[in-house]
Amino acid sequence: MLRIRNLVSGYGKIKVLKNVSMHVDPGEIVTILGANGAGKTTLLSTIAGLVRANSGEAEFKSNNILKIKASAIPGLGCVMVPEGRQVFAAMTVEENLLLGGHAVQKQGRKVLTALLEHQYELFPILRDRKDQLAGTLSGGEQQMLAMGRALMSKPSLVMMDEPSTGLAPLIVKEIFQIIVRLRDEGNTVLLVEQNAKAALGIADRGYVLETGKIIVQGPAEDLLANKDVQRAYLGREK
C-alpha cells in the first residue's frame, strides 16, 4: 500500500530524514519507534505532503505522492491524525467530523450520514458530545475526535502521530483497542508512538528510527525481544 525508497526530507537546509526506506502492506499495523528528534513526525508529514521531500520516492497505492498536493492526498485514501489532536476548538464535535468528510461529500448525503453514524458507534462519547464545542473536550475525547475526523474520509491508510501523548493509562488502553479494531475492520495503520511497549503489543511490524535513519526493522515480536530496543525504548533488558 505504501512504499518509500531512499527518502530524504527536512526543513530548509536541515536534512531530518536520511535515505529512509520502508513499506506498509494492506491490513497491517506498522509502528515507527524512536526518540524525540529522530524524524518520526517528519516522516508522516512528508508522506502527507505537509513537508516537501528533497529526494527519494514515496508511492501510495501506485501514486507518486511526492508530486501531489497535500490537499489531494486524503482523497487518495491516506490521512493523518496529527500529534496534539489539533481539533477545531470553536466548532462542535459534529462540525469537526463533517469537516473530515469533505473528501467524500461528492458521494452524497447518504454516504456522509453513514460515516458519521459509524464514528458515533466507534466512539460513543462523541455522540454524547456532538453539540459540544471541541475545545471543551478532555484530552482523550479530543484524541477520539481527531481519529474520527480522519476516518470520515474513508481512508485505507491511517497515519497516527503519538496518539497516547498526555493521556491517562485507561484512556491509552482504549485508544489502542480502537486502533486494533480499525485494523480488524480492514484499515491499515502507520503508527508513530513513544509508548513502545504498547505500540509493539498491537503492531504487526516495526521500524526504529534514529537520527533520521532506519536502524532496526522486523516483526513486532522480534523488536520486543531485541536487547537494544529493550534497553533504549522499553526500559529493561533480558
Side-chain angles (χ1 to χ4, degrees), residues 14 69 85 89 109 146 201 204 232 234:
I14 301 173
K69 290 183 179 179
R85 279 67 97 173
R109 183 70 191 180
D204 298 288
L234 303 178

Side-chain angles (χ1 to χ4, degrees), residues 83-85 138-140 143 162-169 171-172 193-194:
E83 183 179 11
R85 279 67 97 173
S138 69
Q143 183 61 50
E162 306 283 8
S164 74
T165 298
L167 303 183
I171 301 299
V172 171
E193 181 54 57
Q194 287 264 0

Side-chain angles (χ1 to χ4, degrees), residues 24-219:
V24 180
D25 292 329
E28 285 190 309
I29 296 176
V30 174
T31 188
I32 307 291
L33 306 178
N36 286 334
K40 305 184 302 296
T41 295
T42 301
L43 175 59
L44 295 195
S45 297
T46 303
I47 296 168
L50 302 174
V51 174
R52 305 311 301 179
N54 297 89
S55 61
E57 301 175 22
E59 292 183 356
F60 173 68
K61 296 196 292 188
S62 300
N63 296 284
N64 180 0
I65 53 176
L66 298 184
K67 302 293 185 181
I68 297 174
K69 290 183 179 179
S71 58
I73 291 177
L76 298 176
C78 177
V79 298
M80 180 175 172
V81 181
E83 183 179 11
R85 279 67 97 173
Q86 297 184 27
V87 298
F88 295 97
M91 298 171 66
T92 67
V93 166
E94 187 156 298
E95 287 170 341
N96 269 267
L97 291 172
L98 289 172
L99 193 62
H102 175 76
V104 298
Q105 280 185 349
K106 59 186 177 183
Q107 297 180 30
R109 183 70 191 180
K110 191 173 182 179
V111 170
L112 203 59
T113 300
L115 283 166
L116 189 62
E117 183 59 30
H118 183 61
Q119 306 321 312
Y120 287 147
E121 190 269 329
L122 193 60
F123 307 102
I125 192 64
L126 297 185
R127 188 192 300 274
D128 297 338
R129 305 276 195 268
K130 67 177 184 176
D131 296 321
Q132 190 171 322
L133 294 181
T136 65
L137 300 178
S138 69
E141 291 165 351
Q142 287 191 15
Q143 183 61 50
M144 293 178 189
L145 177 56
M147 292 168 68
R149 181 180 61 189
L151 293 170
M152 282 291 293
S153 64
K154 284 207 306 187
S156 46
L157 175 63
V158 184
M159 302 189 296
M160 298 189 186
D161 193 0
E162 306 283 8
S164 74
T165 298
L167 303 183
L170 281 176
I171 301 299
V172 171
K173 183 178 180 181
E174 186 176 355
I175 293 294
F176 277 80
Q177 288 173 340
I178 292 169
I179 293 172
V180 171
R181 179 175 170 181
L182 293 178
R183 190 265 311 278
D184 293 344
E185 290 181 350
N187 295 282
T188 303
V189 179
L190 180 56
L191 173 65
V192 160
E193 181 54 57
Q194 287 264 0
N195 189 336
K197 184 177 180 180
L200 291 172
I202 65 169
D204 298 288
R205 293 186 302 109
Y207 295 87
V208 177
L209 195 62
E210 187 174 286
T211 60
K213 298 178 180 179
I214 300 289
I215 59 166
V216 183
Q217 60 179 291

